[in-house]
Amino acid sequence: MHKKYVLVTLLLVAVAICPQLVWAQNLINCKVRSCYDRLVDDYLAALVAHDPSRIAFAPDARFVENIKATKLGDGLWKTASAVPTTFKIYVPDPVSGQVGFMGVMQEGGKPILLGLRLQVFEGHVVQAEHVIARDLSAQSLANLQVARPIFAKVIPERMRMPRYEMKGIAYSYYDALDFNDGELAPMARDCERHENGRESSGSRTPPAANAPQPNYSAMDCTRQFTTGMMAYIDNIDNIRVLAVDPFTGLAFGLSHFHHSMKNHVFPIKGVPGVTQREVNNGPFDLPAAHIFKISAGKIHQIEAMGFLAPYNSPSGW
């Protein structure tokens, strides 16, 4: 028998024995940042096409959407209707084999804010994680048309920080928030935080005439955290800073906020004429994604998003 036909026969037999070989042409071989950006774009296109087979998932890949272990092909795989266009932030990390992303896309013709994490190992996506914020207000959407330019700004090479230092700074943010002490994290005076598009720290937007006082949103991150205005947060767990990009100074973190709301009145510090804050919510959780812009050893900008979940929900992992 001719050698060519022997080779083809052996290959067909191998594929029959090991079907995973059919994935060979689609294996993910990402060694540079731009490859992870393309992987996100390919993944989002596959979501809208409702076709997980367009992505090289590992046979035992895990998929969690809004803290629920979900079957690939379900969830947003069934409902996505348009890919993100203008609001997109990528955090590629070839060292960890992971990429974080935040963008506004369409689900059933309506805008949603997606936090996405993908992990690649040996040519396959082994983990995919979605955090989805729905029912966005007009005020939120106004700030979610285009990502703030600073998130895409490249850090000069001589000023780039090591990955481990960036990760440490990102993790310290959660301590500052959890312990109501802004000094626990190196946050710059120009620190501005958006939550689901809403300006929540460092806001430069003049408050409405009938807005409640004090205007916590106008405070920088350090001062705001130290007032204790977020003392209704009992604790933050499942904290994972998994993608770090020294090239742009971005770090992508996931976390799970718990609020028992056993108390509704909390002391306030450092605000003249104000001694307490009343929060009348019922118990709830807030699974969240954050992207931090870190440069010169400090956090300058934060894009945060999340959704409400029942109190003490499991993480899905």
Side-chain angles (χ1 to χ4, degrees), residues 8-67:
V8 170
T9 301
L10 290 174
L11 179 61
L12 291 173
V13 171
V15 169
I17 296 173
C18 186
Q20 288 87 342
L21 287 178
V22 301
W23 284 107
Q25 61 180 341
N26 297 321
L27 290 180
I28 302 162
N29 185 25
C30 280
K31 296 181 180 178
V32 296
R33 298 171 59 258
S34 59
C35 178
Y36 285 90
D37 291 356
R38 290 195 300 272
L39 172 61
V40 168
D41 291 341
D42 290 345
Y43 183 92
L44 294 169
L47 273 179
V48 173
H50 315 303
D51 186 3
S53 70
R54 292 171 57 167
I55 301 297
F57 284 105
D60 59 348
R62 298 188 64 189
F63 170 42
V64 171
E65 181 170 289
N66 279 10
I67 63 171

Side-chain angles (χ1 to χ4, degrees), residues 79-82 105-112:
T79 56
S81 57
M105 63 184 298
Q106 300 281 321
E107 179 186 42
K110 296 181 180 181
I112 60 171

Side-chain angles (χ1 to χ4, degrees), residues 16 20 43 96 134 147-149 154 203 258 288 302:
Q20 288 87 342
Y43 183 92
S96 70
R134 298 180 170 94
R148 285 173 276 171
V154 174
S203 173
H258 299 279
I302 304 164

Side-chain angles (χ1 to χ4, degrees), residues 182 187 219-229 269-272:
M187 295 182 286
M219 298 177 183
D220 65 76
C221 300
T222 301
R223 184 187 173 205
Q224 184 195 70
F225 288 12
T226 303
T227 65
M229 59 88 64
K269 301 177 293 182
V271 181

Side-chain angles (χ1 to χ4, degrees), residues 11-198:
L11 179 61
L12 291 173
V13 171
V15 169
I17 296 173
C18 186
Q20 288 87 342
L21 287 178
V22 301
W23 284 107
Q25 61 180 341
N26 297 321
L27 290 180
I28 302 162
N29 185 25
C30 280
K31 296 181 180 178
V32 296
R33 298 171 59 258
S34 59
C35 178
Y36 285 90
D37 291 356
R38 290 195 300 272
L39 172 61
V40 168
D41 291 341
D42 290 345
Y43 183 92
L44 294 169
L47 273 179
V48 173
H50 315 303
D51 186 3
S53 70
R54 292 171 57 167
I55 301 297
F57 284 105
D60 59 348
R62 298 188 64 189
F63 170 42
V64 171
E65 181 170 289
N66 279 10
I67 63 171
K68 292 184 179 179
T70 305
K71 180 182 176 182
L72 279 169
D74 288 345
L76 195 58
W77 284 98
K78 289 184 175 180
T79 56
S81 57
V83 299
T85 54
T86 56
F87 187 93
K88 299 185 286 185
I89 307 174
Y90 300 82
V91 188
D93 187 350
V95 175
S96 70
Q98 303 195 60
V99 59
F101 172 82
M102 200 176 290
V104 176
M105 63 184 298
Q106 300 281 321
E107 179 186 42
K110 296 181 180 181
I112 60 171
L113 181 56
L114 172 69
L116 169 69
R117 178 184 68 88
L118 300 174
Q119 181 178 4
V120 178
F121 182 70
E122 293 187 348
H124 296 85
V125 172
V126 294
Q127 290 187 1
E129 186 166 2
H130 295 173
V131 180
I132 304 170
R134 298 180 170 94
D135 301 320
L136 301 167
S137 68
Q139 179 186 13
S140 293
L141 288 171
N143 287 329
L144 292 171
Q145 298 303 305
V146 180
R148 285 173 276 171
I150 193 171
F151 284 102
K153 187 176 180 180
V154 174
I155 304 294
E157 186 172 2
R158 68 185 183 280
M159 298 175 62
R160 290 175 196 164
M161 299 177 61
R163 289 180 71 260
Y164 73 89
E165 288 187 10
M166 291 180 61
K167 287 189 74 170
I169 288 173
Y171 273 111
S172 73
Y173 166 87
Y174 298 101
D175 287 338
L177 192 55
D178 202 0
F179 294 103
N180 302 290
D181 184 354
E183 300 295 338
L184 293 178
M187 295 182 286
R189 289 295 300 273
D190 66 353
C191 177
E192 181 180 351
R193 186 177 78 252
H194 290 189
E195 297 177 357
N196 287 357
R198 183 179 61 84

